[in-house]
Amino acid sequence: MTRDLFRNRPTTAVTLRERLLAARPDQARWSHVAGYGITGAAGAFALSAGLLTVGARVMARLPLVPRESLRGRPDVTVRAVHPDRVHLDASATTRRDGLLALRQSGGTVHVRLGPVADHPTQTTVSRPLLARDTDEPLLVDRAKSNGFFWAGTPQTAHGLGTEEVEISSPVGPMPAWLVRPDEAEGSVPGQEDTWAILVHGHGSARGEALRVIPLLHRLGLTSLTITYRNDVGAPASADRMHHLGSAEWEDTEAAIEYAVAQGARRLVLVGWSMGGGIVLRTSVRSAHRDLIEALVLDSPAVDWQDILVYHATALKAPAPMRRLAMWMMTSSIGARMVRLHEPLALHEMTPAYYGRHLRHRTLLFHALDDATVPPAPSRHLAALRPDLIEFEPFEGASHTREWNRDPARYERLLADFLGDALGLGEQAAALEVPVRDPAAPALEGSIGLRL
């Protein structure tokens, strides 16, 4: 019957299909279904791959794009203001012990607060009001915490003579604070040719160094607090992206060149967070390694791969997305997908790499409650080089807030380390710490700006 049906018709693709339908209708029907299934699966795969790529690209760009607008966002609620104390909504920031400062209205209001003293209610904490740095009073309103504690410049915060200078870096002139020692103000004499280069962290600012500048000044060191590419007030890189220290170390090298040209004979490199990673990279790549006497690292970014995986995991990003994001940051083809002009040398920013190449004495602080840069890589690096590294963990401190947690301990450790490394043991041991009293009255001309 089927043979008679097709006997007088040409054998074409259509007639063959009809014969299949007539001869094996079920098989033909399933071939249709399979075709649609393969097409659907391919579409789903393409969609899934597209979403994976988009997610990886977002993940890769997050730490690379400068986000200065986040600096001023309020994160604390002020509930009551008394002449001697302030009540705040309890939060991870306000409950943490140690020193804290608050600013409002972009810095027209700035106050310094002491450690948690009481819990007026189940949902609030009370902190003593140590000092007001501005005329405008603190209001019952939202406020921004200032982990740097001090505000303004070394001049407005501490009364130290401060020069605004420019460093000629490969991408343009970078502003910096230059603070010279002064024997009349108690500086140890004869150390002005020892320069401390101070490097702030990711998304941070020069004000991060205000907590240690008084100690360095008292030890007689010349302090140069730098900016680097893509900072506010500094030139942008060609791609306007952070390179996580992979390229920014060149700006620190430019600062070293400036210091040497100004008569520096010994160098101490100090860095916080990504600035710590920049310091490490500078110490192993600088043309002036022989002038570097010591490193001081505060919650440093020792291993960027570990940091990135830590945050991606916290966001519950799937492993394939994490791997793809890492590839985008470290390969020539992938770098173009996230608008980097060159891939990042993350393989050269690990404990193993620094452990092999480090040759300078190092004081390494790390907050054990650090949820930004996990402390494990710092501990690993210290274990690799116990001959060079003094590791000082701080219980109860958050990221780069070891000084805030215990200023006296922090400055004692720093003074003793530098005293030994620079041959200033007796003078360093004689210092009363903290050098600048956290409750010191505001100086004339003090401001609340973060600079």
Side-chain angles (χ1 to χ4, degrees), residues 2 8 24 26-27 73 75 95 119 128 162 184 187 236 262 320 336 341 347 353 386 388 428:
T2 303
N8 299 318
R24 296 182 179 179
D26 290 341
Q27 183 175 333
R73 287 187 179 178
D75 59 347
R95 283 194 301 263
H119 298 268
T162 305
S187 296
Q262 294 289 316
R336 291 196 289 271
H341 281 200
H347 65 286
Y353 184 88
L388 291 177

PDB file of all heavy atoms in Angstrom, residues 2 8 24 26-27 73 75 95 119 128 162 184 187 236 262 320 336 341 347 353 386 388 428:
ATOM      1  N   THR A   2       1.851   1.237   0.865  1.00  0.00           N
ATOM      2  CA  THR A   2       2.751   2.393   0.928  1.00  0.00           C
ATOM      3  C   THR A   2       3.552   2.511  -0.341  1.00  0.00           C
ATOM      4  O   THR A   2       3.773   3.585  -0.863  1.00  0.00           O
ATOM      5  CB  THR A   2       3.690   2.249   2.127  1.00  0.00           C
ATOM      6  OG1 THR A   2       2.909   2.116   3.296  1.00  0.00           O
ATOM      7  CG2 THR A   2       4.608   3.444   2.243  1.00  0.00           C
ATOM      8  N   ASN A   8       4.664   6.614  -8.437  1.00  0.00           N
ATOM      9  CA  ASN A   8       4.774   7.512  -9.587  1.00  0.00           C
ATOM     10  C   ASN A   8       5.258   8.921  -9.224  1.00  0.00           C
ATOM     11  O   ASN A   8       5.082   9.848  -9.994  1.00  0.00           O
ATOM     12  CB  ASN A   8       3.419   7.607 -10.299  1.00  0.00           C
ATOM     13  CG  ASN A   8       2.975   6.254 -10.822  1.00  0.00           C
ATOM     14  OD1 ASN A   8       3.819   5.519 -11.359  1.00  0.00           O
ATOM     15  ND2 ASN A   8       1.695   5.949 -10.690  1.00  0.00           N
ATOM     16  N   ARG A  24       7.506   4.726   9.231  1.00  0.00           N
ATOM     17  CA  ARG A  24       7.828   4.704  10.663  1.00  0.00           C
ATOM     18  C   ARG A  24       7.362   6.007  11.310  1.00  0.00           C
ATOM     19  O   ARG A  24       8.132   6.905  11.617  1.00  0.00           O
ATOM     20  CB  ARG A  24       9.329   4.555  10.878  1.00  0.00           C
ATOM     21  CG  ARG A  24       9.882   3.233  10.354  1.00  0.00           C
ATOM     22  CD  ARG A  24      11.361   3.131  10.647  1.00  0.00           C
ATOM     23  NE  ARG A  24      11.898   1.872  10.174  1.00  0.00           N
ATOM     24  CZ  ARG A  24      13.188   1.528  10.290  1.00  0.00           C
ATOM     25  NH1 ARG A  24      14.026   2.370  10.857  1.00  0.00           N
ATOM     26  NH2 ARG A  24      13.597   0.363   9.827  1.00  0.00           N
ATOM     27  N   ASP A  26       6.205   6.819  14.258  1.00  0.00           N
ATOM     28  CA  ASP A  26       6.675   7.136  15.616  1.00  0.00           C
ATOM     29  C   ASP A  26       8.111   7.634  15.592  1.00  0.00           C
ATOM     30  O   ASP A  26       8.466   8.606  16.263  1.00  0.00           O
ATOM     31  CB  ASP A  26       6.568   5.892  16.494  1.00  0.00           C
ATOM     32  CG  ASP A  26       5.122   5.526  16.785  1.00  0.00           C
ATOM     33  OD1 ASP A  26       4.271   6.435  16.613  1.00  0.00           O
ATOM     34  OD2 ASP A  26       4.857   4.369  17.157  1.00  0.00           O
ATOM     35  N   GLN A  27       8.976   6.964  14.800  1.00  0.00           N
ATOM     36  CA  GLN A  27      10.379   7.358  14.727  1.00  0.00           C
ATOM     37  C   GLN A  27      10.503   8.766  14.166  1.00  0.00           C
ATOM     38  O   GLN A  27      11.293   9.580  14.644  1.00  0.00           O
ATOM     39  CB  GLN A  27      11.147   6.373  13.855  1.00  0.00           C
ATOM     40  CG  GLN A  27      12.648   6.675  13.781  1.00  0.00           C
ATOM     41  CD  GLN A  27      13.376   5.601  13.004  1.00  0.00           C
ATOM     42  OE1 GLN A  27      12.932   4.457  12.959  1.00  0.00           O
ATOM     43  NE2 GLN A  27      14.474   5.990  12.397  1.00  0.00           N
ATOM     44  N   ARG A  73      29.112  57.766  52.089  1.00  0.00           N
ATOM     45  CA  ARG A  73      27.798  57.211  52.428  1.00  0.00           C
ATOM     46  C   ARG A  73      27.656  56.999  53.929  1.00  0.00           C
ATOM     47  O   ARG A  73      28.501  56.355  54.554  1.00  0.00           O
ATOM     48  CB  ARG A  73      27.590  55.878  51.707  1.00  0.00           C
ATOM     49  CG  ARG A  73      27.348  56.018  50.215  1.00  0.00           C
ATOM     50  CD  ARG A  73      26.973  54.685  49.603  1.00  0.00           C
ATOM     51  NE  ARG A  73      26.717  54.790  48.177  1.00  0.00           N
ATOM     52  CZ  ARG A  73      26.402  53.764  47.392  1.00  0.00           C
ATOM     53  NH1 ARG A  73      26.333  52.543  47.916  1.00  0.00           N
ATOM     54  NH2 ARG A  73      26.185  53.932  46.111  1.00  0.00           N
ATOM     55  N   ASP A  75      26.848  55.449  57.433  1.00  0.00           N
ATOM     56  CA  ASP A  75      26.756  54.055  57.860  1.00  0.00           C
ATOM     57  C   ASP A  75      26.464  53.933  59.355  1.00  0.00           C
ATOM     58  O   ASP A  75      26.479  52.835  59.898  1.00  0.00           O
ATOM     59  CB  ASP A  75      28.045  53.302  57.515  1.00  0.00           C
ATOM     60  CG  ASP A  75      29.279  53.907  58.172  1.00  0.00           C
ATOM     61  OD1 ASP A  75      29.191  55.035  58.686  1.00  0.00           O
ATOM     62  OD2 ASP A  75      30.340  53.259  58.160  1.00  0.00           O
ATOM     63  N   ARG A  95      29.535  48.770  67.596  1.00  0.00           N
ATOM     64  CA  ARG A  95      29.753  47.880  68.740  1.00  0.00           C
ATOM     65  C   ARG A  95      31.215  47.509  68.913  1.00  0.00           C
ATOM     66  O   ARG A  95      31.631  47.121  70.011  1.00  0.00           O
ATOM     67  CB  ARG A  95      28.939  46.592  68.572  1.00  0.00           C
ATOM     68  CG  ARG A  95      27.456  46.723  68.861  1.00  0.00           C
ATOM     69  CD  ARG A  95      26.818  45.336  68.990  1.00  0.00           C
ATOM     70  NE  ARG A  95      27.002  44.566  67.762  1.00  0.00           N
ATOM     71  CZ  ARG A  95      26.100  44.472  66.797  1.00  0.00           C
ATOM     72  NH1 ARG A  95      24.951  45.111  66.909  1.00  0.00           N
ATOM     73  NH2 ARG A  95      26.338  43.741  65.713  1.00  0.00           N
ATOM     74  N   HIS A 119      25.582  50.488  77.258  1.00  0.00           N
ATOM     75  CA  HIS A 119      24.509  50.119  76.346  1.00  0.00           C
ATOM     76  C   HIS A 119      23.207  50.690  76.922  1.00  0.00           C
ATOM     77  O   HIS A 119      22.515  50.018  77.706  1.00  0.00           O
ATOM     78  CB  HIS A 119      24.407  48.602  76.200  1.00  0.00           C
ATOM     79  CG  HIS A 119      25.635  47.972  75.611  1.00  0.00           C
ATOM     80  ND1 HIS A 119      25.781  47.748  74.264  1.00  0.00           N
ATOM     81  CD2 HIS A 119      26.788  47.546  76.189  1.00  0.00           C
ATOM     82  CE1 HIS A 119      26.954  47.202  74.034  1.00  0.00           C
ATOM     83  NE2 HIS A 119      27.593  47.062  75.187  1.00  0.00           N
ATOM     84  N   PRO A 128      32.049  57.746  74.737  1.00  0.00           N
ATOM     85  CA  PRO A 128      32.423  59.072  75.229  1.00  0.00           C
ATOM     86  C   PRO A 128      32.839  59.992  74.088  1.00  0.00           C
ATOM     87  O   PRO A 128      33.483  59.556  73.132  1.00  0.00           O
ATOM     88  CB  PRO A 128      33.594  58.789  76.167  1.00  0.00           C
ATOM     89  CG  PRO A 128      34.131  57.477  75.722  1.00  0.00           C
ATOM     90  CD  PRO A 128      32.970  56.698  75.205  1.00  0.00           C
ATOM     91  N   THR A 162      53.355  70.943  56.997  1.00  0.00           N
ATOM     92  CA  THR A 162      53.068  70.050  55.870  1.00  0.00           C
ATOM     93  C   THR A 162      53.230  70.789  54.555  1.00  0.00           C
ATOM     94  O   THR A 162      52.634  71.850  54.359  1.00  0.00           O
ATOM     95  CB  THR A 162      51.628  69.494  55.978  1.00  0.00           C
ATOM     96  OG1 THR A 162      51.454  68.864  57.249  1.00  0.00           O
ATOM     97  CG2 THR A 162      51.351  68.490  54.868  1.00  0.00           C
ATOM     98  N   ALA A 184      62.817  71.080  67.308  1.00  0.00           N
ATOM     99  CA  ALA A 184      62.130  71.971  68.240  1.00  0.00           C
ATOM    100  C   ALA A 184      60.807  71.382  68.711  1.00  0.00           C
ATOM    101  O   ALA A 184      60.287  71.773  69.765  1.00  0.00           O
ATOM    102  CB  ALA A 184      61.900  73.329  67.582  1.00  0.00           C
ATOM    103  N   SER A 187      61.518  65.990  67.673  1.00  0.00           N
ATOM    104  CA  SER A 187      61.992  64.945  66.759  1.00  0.00           C
ATOM    105  C   SER A 187      63.410  64.518  67.130  1.00  0.00           C
ATOM    106  O   SER A 187      64.241  65.345  67.513  1.00  0.00           O
ATOM    107  CB  SER A 187      61.995  65.455  65.309  1.00  0.00           C
ATOM    108  OG  SER A 187      60.688  65.763  64.871  1.00  0.00           O
ATOM    109  N   ALA A 236      44.538  59.894  36.008  1.00  0.00           N
ATOM    110  CA  ALA A 236      43.991  58.552  35.779  1.00  0.00           C
ATOM    111  C   ALA A 236      44.959  57.741  34.937  1.00  0.00           C
ATOM    112  O   ALA A 236      45.745  58.279  34.166  1.00  0.00           O
ATOM    113  CB  ALA A 236      42.641  58.649  35.084  1.00  0.00           C
ATOM    114  N   GLN A 262      65.829  64.271  46.846  1.00  0.00           N
ATOM    115  CA  GLN A 262      65.780  65.244  47.932  1.00  0.00           C
ATOM    116  C   GLN A 262      66.752  64.906  49.061  1.00  0.00           C
ATOM    117  O   GLN A 262      66.734  65.548  50.108  1.00  0.00           O
ATOM    118  CB  GLN A 262      64.356  65.312  48.491  1.00  0.00           C
ATOM    119  CG  GLN A 262      63.327  65.875  47.518  1.00  0.00           C
ATOM    120  CD  GLN A 262      63.496  67.367  47.296  1.00  0.00           C
ATOM    121  OE1 GLN A 262      63.706  68.121  48.227  1.00  0.00           O
ATOM    122  NE2 GLN A 262      63.406  67.789  46.042  1.00  0.00           N
ATOM    123  N   PRO A 320      32.610  28.112  38.175  1.00  0.00           N
ATOM    124  CA  PRO A 320      32.962  28.478  36.791  1.00  0.00           C
ATOM    125  C   PRO A 320      33.003  29.998  36.584  1.00  0.00           C
ATOM    126  O   PRO A 320      33.844  30.495  35.841  1.00  0.00           O
ATOM    127  CB  PRO A 320      31.847  27.825  35.967  1.00  0.00           C
ATOM    128  CG  PRO A 320      31.357  26.692  36.814  1.00  0.00           C
ATOM    129  CD  PRO A 320      31.452  27.190  38.220  1.00  0.00           C
ATOM    130  N   ARG A 336      40.822  42.567  27.823  1.00  0.00           N
ATOM    131  CA  ARG A 336      40.068  43.472  26.949  1.00  0.00           C
ATOM    132  C   ARG A 336      38.578  43.409  27.234  1.00  0.00           C
ATOM    133  O   ARG A 336      37.861  44.390  27.032  1.00  0.00           O
ATOM    134  CB  ARG A 336      40.344  43.131  25.489  1.00  0.00           C
ATOM    135  CG  ARG A 336      41.781  43.454  25.051  1.00  0.00           C
ATOM    136  CD  ARG A 336      41.897  43.480  23.541  1.00  0.00           C
ATOM    137  NE  ARG A 336      41.781  42.151  22.960  1.00  0.00           N
ATOM    138  CZ  ARG A 336      42.815  41.340  22.760  1.00  0.00           C
ATOM    139  NH1 ARG A 336      44.033  41.712  23.123  1.00  0.00           N
ATOM    140  NH2 ARG A 336      42.638  40.150  22.212  1.00  0.00           N
ATOM    141  N   HIS A 341      43.847  47.635  29.981  1.00  0.00           N
ATOM    142  CA  HIS A 341      44.779  47.749  28.866  1.00  0.00           C
ATOM    143  C   HIS A 341      45.843  46.664  28.894  1.00  0.00           C
ATOM    144  O   HIS A 341      46.536  46.441  27.898  1.00  0.00           O
ATOM    145  CB  HIS A 341      45.436  49.131  28.868  1.00  0.00           C
ATOM    146  CG  HIS A 341      44.554  50.195  28.292  1.00  0.00           C
ATOM    147  ND1 HIS A 341      45.019  51.396  27.815  1.00  0.00           N
ATOM    148  CD2 HIS A 341      43.211  50.232  28.094  1.00  0.00           C
ATOM    149  CE1 HIS A 341      44.019  52.123  27.359  1.00  0.00           C
ATOM    150  NE2 HIS A 341      42.898  51.446  27.533  1.00  0.00           N
ATOM    151  N   HIS A 347      49.848  36.454  39.552  1.00  0.00           N
ATOM    152  CA  HIS A 347      50.736  35.339  39.915  1.00  0.00           C
ATOM    153  C   HIS A 347      51.986  35.834  40.624  1.00  0.00           C
ATOM    154  O   HIS A 347      52.682  35.046  41.276  1.00  0.00           O
ATOM    155  CB  HIS A 347      51.119  34.557  38.660  1.00  0.00           C
ATOM    156  CG  HIS A 347      51.933  35.347  37.676  1.00  0.00           C
ATOM    157  ND1 HIS A 347      51.380  36.344  36.886  1.00  0.00           N
ATOM    158  CD2 HIS A 347      53.260  35.312  37.354  1.00  0.00           C
ATOM    159  CE1 HIS A 347      52.323  36.879  36.130  1.00  0.00           C
ATOM    160  NE2 HIS A 347      53.473  36.275  36.391  1.00  0.00           N
ATOM    161  N   TYR A 353      55.377  33.884  46.119  1.00  0.00           N
ATOM    162  CA  TYR A 353      56.256  34.752  45.333  1.00  0.00           C
ATOM    163  C   TYR A 353      57.027  35.710  46.240  1.00  0.00           C
ATOM    164  O   TYR A 353      58.252  35.845  46.132  1.00  0.00           O
ATOM    165  CB  TYR A 353      55.435  35.540  44.312  1.00  0.00           C
ATOM    166  CG  TYR A 353      56.276  36.389  43.384  1.00  0.00           C
ATOM    167  CD1 TYR A 353      56.784  35.856  42.211  1.00  0.00           C
ATOM    168  CD2 TYR A 353      56.566  37.713  43.697  1.00  0.00           C
ATOM    169  CE1 TYR A 353      57.560  36.627  41.353  1.00  0.00           C
ATOM    170  CE2 TYR A 353      57.344  38.491  42.854  1.00  0.00           C
ATOM    171  CZ  TYR A 353      57.837  37.943  41.683  1.00  0.00           C
ATOM    172  OH  TYR A 353      58.614  38.705  40.850  1.00  0.00           O
ATOM    173  N   PRO A 386      60.083  33.700  58.585  1.00  0.00           N
ATOM    174  CA  PRO A 386      60.190  34.127  59.990  1.00  0.00           C
ATOM    175  C   PRO A 386      61.503  34.855  60.273  1.00  0.00           C
ATOM    176  O   PRO A 386      61.620  35.541  61.286  1.00  0.00           O
ATOM    177  CB  PRO A 386      60.107  32.808  60.762  1.00  0.00           C
ATOM    178  CG  PRO A 386      60.568  31.765  59.785  1.00  0.00           C
ATOM    179  CD  PRO A 386      60.083  32.237  58.454  1.00  0.00           C
ATOM    180  N   LEU A 388      62.602  37.299  58.553  1.00  0.00           N
ATOM    181  CA  LEU A 388      62.446  38.711  58.192  1.00  0.00           C
ATOM    182  C   LEU A 388      61.178  39.358  58.734  1.00  0.00           C
ATOM    183  O   LEU A 388      61.140  40.574  58.932  1.00  0.00           O
ATOM    184  CB  LEU A 388      62.445  38.861  56.659  1.00  0.00           C
ATOM    185  CG  LEU A 388      63.755  38.603  55.921  1.00  0.00           C
ATOM    186  CD1 LEU A 388      63.535  38.725  54.414  1.00  0.00           C
ATOM    187  CD2 LEU A 388      64.821  39.588  56.373  1.00  0.00           C
ATOM    188  N   ALA A 428      63.581  55.340  70.642  1.00  0.00           N
ATOM    189  CA  ALA A 428      62.265  54.754  70.396  1.00  0.00           C
ATOM    190  C   ALA A 428      61.658  54.231  71.691  1.00  0.00           C
ATOM    191  O   ALA A 428      60.462  54.413  71.957  1.00  0.00           O
ATOM    192  CB  ALA A 428      62.367  53.637  69.370  1.00  0.00           C
TER     193      ALA A 428
END
